[in-house]
Amino acid sequence: MSRRIVIFDTTLRDGEQSPGASLSEDQKLAIAHQLAALGVDIIEAGFPISSPEDFRAVTRVAQEVHGPVIAGLSRTRKEDIQSCYDAVKHAERHRIHTFVGTSNIHIEKKLRKTKDQVFEMAVEAVRFARSLCDDVEFSAEDALRADFDYLCRVVEAVIAAGATTVNIPDTVGYTTPWEMERTIAQLFELVPNIDRAVISTHCHNDLGLASANSLAAVRGGAGQVECTINGIGERAGNCSLEEVVMTLRTRQDYFDIETGINTPQIMKASRMVSNFTGHSVQPNKAIVGANAFAHEAGIHQHGMIMDRQTYEIMKPEDIGLTESVLTLGRRSGRHGLRQRLTDLGYDLTDAQLDEAYKRFVTIADRKKEVYDEDLELLMRDMIGAQAGMWSLQRFQVTSGSVEAEGGAVTIPVAAVELKRGEKPMTYASTGNGPVHAIYTAIDHIVKGKKLRLVDYQLRSVSVGEDAIGEAIVRISDGEIETWGKAASTDVLEASAKAYINAINRLMVLHQRAKNGAAEHM
Ligand code: MN
């Protein structure tokens, strides 16, 4: 009989630590519900002591999301562990995940302790966590660079102290598949009580090996893989859930290992995470990239027509990729909209449906056909709109040739009206192009610190001649760099809204920074 491994998703904890990927509480909850539909065994919902917002988000996930075990991260300090427990305890099944660095460099340079002191910290933390909760995971941070004998001693001691899962993370993405498989296999040989815990792996993708290393750990005997949707996470990211799950499924003949993942929910999870974090998926990304199932070369297309299996090792429907069918038009009613949004993973209250329908009618007036991609953008805009934030009321732009023979040129001018609270504010400005003119006017109204535009991108995100354009901007005020994203059938409107979205996010991040920053694993 094939072995079943545990899928531990950390999209909401490690994934949210991606630079610029902060999620609102409602977005975290929506992702957690989707992870439950996807069938992950464990959701790591956050790092409760890191901020009051994170504590609240983990608490709500524990209260409202049913099915998976809900876990929270904590350092080895008692108050961290207690705070983690207080947030996760509402879930029917909950887990405390505590960690400490075990490599010499982490022990000496980061923790400034001796090996014996760290050993005691690990054992004490696990013992205290077990006094609160039966399900305790311990992570030996940076384990793949740790002294192996020391790692064996730590693993044995934390299992003796009650750890039910022991994670061997490649925190810095340094290992290779061969080394990982051997490390796990040797732990199984040398740690006498190892069969009393599940051994886990948590790989980072700094060398592009996170999925390969995780699969190697499974071959070595690991029973849990920690991963994120789309592979998001610190630096180059984490092991990607969809890659590991689809490899095990596609090569069942080789691995003889199963997961509990309901794979047709993968695409929905991927789109939701990419929409909410603003991190687009690269087109050639394995499994969930836009081109992953596209066949371009004529000879491949010919083969596909004869038999799909000539060039296709997985079926698109296995990951929930259905053709982007024309779904709705102007005459579609509220009921049709609700049905389609439910299919896309959005459960709306009646008030939210009213708001969504208003926005839908506006799009349907401008576009003949409304596609799934349009609806996803609509929902993202709606969830993104919050009280106390700037919003665009209206704008107008005059623009034309900015370089012409003979020297006669247009001076781009933009008039912008923004609103925050009750009173609308208007300003007009010139610029060296229409977008520059709009941004200069917005800067004047917002009157914050001087903003630097780090990056500006424009792309088409839906199908057809009347497609929606999406603008993605990155801005920095010298202290914090963040992003904004918006979509519209008018690219100038998308550009203005994306900039305002980034300014709003910057305000939220400054608020958060005041409440104390998280430590990262
Ligand atoms: Mn990590």
Side-chain angles (χ1 to χ4, degrees):
M1 211 179 80
S2 48
R3 183 157 71 97
R4 159 91 149 76
I5 61 154
V6 170
I7 296 295
F8 176 112
D9 181 278
T10 185
T11 305
L12 297 177
R13 202 276 300 166
D14 208 325
E16 212 228 359
Q17 285 175 208
S18 317
S22 52
L23 296 165
S24 74
E25 199 176 301
D26 286 342
Q27 290 173 333
K28 284 186 187 175
L29 216 62
I31 291 174
H33 280 296
Q34 178 56 25
L35 291 171
L38 183 63
V40 308
D41 299 286
I42 294 143
I43 294 175
E44 185 163 59
F47 191 171
I49 198 135
S50 66
S51 71
E53 288 79 17
D54 225 23
F55 183 87
R56 217 172 33 235
V58 177
T59 304
R60 278 192 66 196
V61 170
Q63 286 166 335
E64 296 175 36
V65 178
H66 305 286
V69 173
I70 307 301
L73 186 67
S74 77
R75 288 167 299 189
T76 50
R77 298 187 321 176
K78 263 195 170 167
E79 50 274 46
D80 277 41
I81 295 168
Q82 185 68 50
S83 154
C84 178
Y85 176 69
D86 290 340
V88 298
K89 69 180 178 195
H90 309 280
E92 295 129 48
R93 292 185 299 149
H94 46 263
R95 170 179 295 189
I96 297 174
H97 177 194
T98 182
F99 75 98
V100 69
T102 49
S103 63
N104 291 351
I105 186 152
H106 276 229
I107 292 171
E108 287 159 22
K109 304 287 180 201
K110 188 176 98 165
L111 301 166
R112 294 173 184 279
K113 304 263 185 215
T114 65
K115 280 182 168 175
D116 288 342
Q117 284 171 319
V118 168
F119 184 92
E120 277 313 311
M121 284 160 69
V123 170
E124 270 313 303
V126 169
R127 203 170 282 145
F128 179 60
R130 264 311 291 267
S131 75
L132 302 170
C133 158
D134 287 341
D135 186 344
V136 172
E137 171 167 340
F138 172 78
S139 274
E141 189 185 11
D142 204 17
L144 271 293
R145 291 194 301 168
D147 169 19
F148 187 69
D149 291 336
Y150 179 68
L151 181 66
C152 289
R153 275 179 51 216
V154 170
V155 171
E156 183 179 354
V158 295
I159 293 175
T164 44
T165 299
V166 180
N167 184 30
I168 309 298
D170 182 24
T171 306
V172 292
Y174 179 73
T175 198
T176 66
W178 301 270
E179 186 177 60
M180 178 57 107
E181 183 176 352
R182 200 183 58 226
T183 302
I184 302 289
Q186 283 183 340
L187 283 172
F188 273 92
E189 278 169 35
L190 298 173
V191 176
N193 58 359
I194 198 149
D195 55 328
R196 282 165 48 197
V198 173
I199 299 303
S200 167
T201 185
H202 174 112
C203 296
H204 276 269
N205 205 32
D206 298 68
L207 294 171
L209 293 172
S211 296
N213 289 337
S214 303
L215 290 164
V218 169
R219 292 246 308 168
Q224 170 176 296
V225 171
E226 304 195 3
C227 46
T228 63
I229 301 295
N230 300 339
I232 63 168
E234 286 273 1
R235 305 183 310 278
N238 282 74
C239 166
S240 137
L241 179 146
E242 60 277 9
E243 291 175 12
V244 164
V245 167
M246 290 311 289
T247 301
L248 291 174
R249 182 184 157 127
T250 306
R251 297 308 309 275
Q252 168 76 19
D253 63 319
Y254 180 75
F255 287 97
D256 195 21
I257 282 171
E258 279 173 8
T259 71
I261 297 298
N262 178 18
T263 64
Q265 292 291 330
I266 285 177
M267 264 330 284
K268 201 184 278 185
S270 167
R271 287 195 180 127
M272 192 183 267
V273 167
S274 124
N275 281 337
F276 288 172
T277 57
H279 288 248
S280 344
V281 174
Q282 78 197 55
N284 61 326
K285 164 82 174 63
I287 320 294
V288 294
N291 294 344
F293 289 88
H295 298 272
E296 194 67 30
I299 190 164
H300 286 207
Q301 287 180 352
H302 176 72
M304 287 287 290
I305 291 165
M306 308 301 281
D307 185 339
R308 293 175 69 117
Q309 286 187 24
T310 47
Y311 288 101
E312 205 167 76
I313 58 167
M314 296 168 272
K315 290 202 285 297
E317 48 274 29
D318 290 346
I319 60 158
L321 190 67
T322 44
E323 302 278 313
S324 180
V325 261
L326 160 74
T327 53
L328 300 167
R330 204 173 319 166
R331 271 179 227 98
S332 313
R334 243 163 241 265
H335 183 73
L337 180 66
R338 182 193 282 274
Q339 186 52 51
R340 197 61 206 141
L341 286 172
T342 308
D343 290 346
L344 290 171
Y346 298 99
D347 270 329
L348 303 189
T349 63
D350 288 341
Q352 284 171 324
L353 182 67
D354 287 345
E355 172 66 27
Y357 189 70
K358 251 198 293 179
R359 288 168 185 255
F360 165 72
V361 171
T362 315
I363 296 179
D365 279 344
R366 286 197 271 177
K367 281 188 101 235
K368 282 190 294 276
E369 295 155 346
V370 181
Y371 293 88
D372 287 356
E373 293 89 332
D374 300 323
L375 294 180
E376 303 250 8
L377 292 169
L378 176 158
M379 285 310 298
R380 203 187 60 215
D381 274 359
M382 206 177 105
I383 292 170
Q386 285 171 17
M389 302 280 151
W390 291 102
S391 65
L392 179 70
Q393 295 300 107
R394 54 194 169 136
F395 76 102
Q396 81 200 38
V397 177
T398 316
S399 184
S401 317
V402 287
E403 263 178 86
E405 238 170 287
V409 294
T410 319
I411 301 174
V413 182
V416 177
E417 185 175 290
L418 301 187
K419 205 169 156 187
R420 182 188 179 193
E422 285 307 296
K423 212 175 76 207
M425 283 180 264
T426 313
Y427 195 77
S429 177
T430 60
N432 53 29
V435 174
H436 182 235
I438 292 171
Y439 286 9
T440 309
I442 293 174
D443 282 344
H444 192 91
I445 297 171
V446 171
K447 281 195 196 75
K449 276 192 221 160
K450 188 158 174 37
L451 300 178
R452 188 168 65 87
L453 187 64
V454 180
D455 190 27
Y456 168 85
Q457 286 178 45
L458 202 57
R459 58 175 193 150
S460 158
V461 283
S462 56
V463 199
E465 279 170 16
D466 52 358
I468 286 191
E470 179 179 66
I472 306 172
V473 303
R474 281 201 164 265
I475 60 169
S476 163
D477 65 357
E479 268 181 72
I480 295 181
E481 182 180 316
T482 188
W483 60 278
K485 196 163 161 178
S488 166
T489 47
D490 178 321
V491 295
L492 290 175
E493 184 175 277
S495 304
K497 284 183 165 172
Y499 195 59
I500 294 162
N501 181 236
I503 290 171
N504 286 336
R505 183 165 284 119
L506 203 59
M507 295 198 306
V508 173
L509 291 175
H510 274 290
Q511 209 97 51
R512 267 203 191 189
K514 263 195 245 157
N515 297 328
E519 210 177 287
H520 294 156
M521 185 175 95

